[in-house]
Amino acid sequence: MRLLLVEDEAELARLVRANLAREGFAVDVAPTLDEARTATATARYDVILLDLSLPDGDGLDLLASWRRAGDTTPVIAVTARGAIDERVQGLNVGADDYLG
């Protein structure tokens, strides 16, 4: 299974990638929205783990653009934003799950 991890904190991305790889997943890391766009344009992913607070914008905007374009790749929003209204917004935009 191939995953895209969209995460800008390098140490966190390294740890998540290492743990997922140990479980047999192939993991690509994109630290910015721009790199995530490039990754999804050039490769097919089974799941995307998407941080919402990125240096070049909001992950929900990227998710919304993927959904408008018809991309149905499962996306799990992984963020510190945990308020109920933020969770509802993430799910309404198109996240398949929301871990906050």
Side-chain angles (χ1 to χ4, degrees), residues 21-65:
R22 186 173 29 251
E23 295 300 320
F25 296 97
V27 182
D28 294 335
V29 176
T32 65
L33 297 177
D34 189 51
E35 289 184 49
R37 282 186 198 96
T38 300
T40 58
T42 58
R44 185 83 180 125
Y45 293 96
D46 297 298
V47 176
I48 299 171
L49 301 176
L50 177 63
D51 183 14
L52 301 184
S53 298
L54 295 160
D56 57 342
D58 191 317
L60 286 181
D61 294 334
L62 178 58
L63 175 56
S65 72

Side-chain angles (χ1 to χ4, degrees), residues 5-21:
L5 172 61
V6 184
E7 172 58 60
D8 64 312
E9 293 185 35
E11 182 63 11
L12 178 58
R14 186 188 68 74
L15 292 170
V16 170
R17 181 184 206 174
N19 282 307
L20 289 169

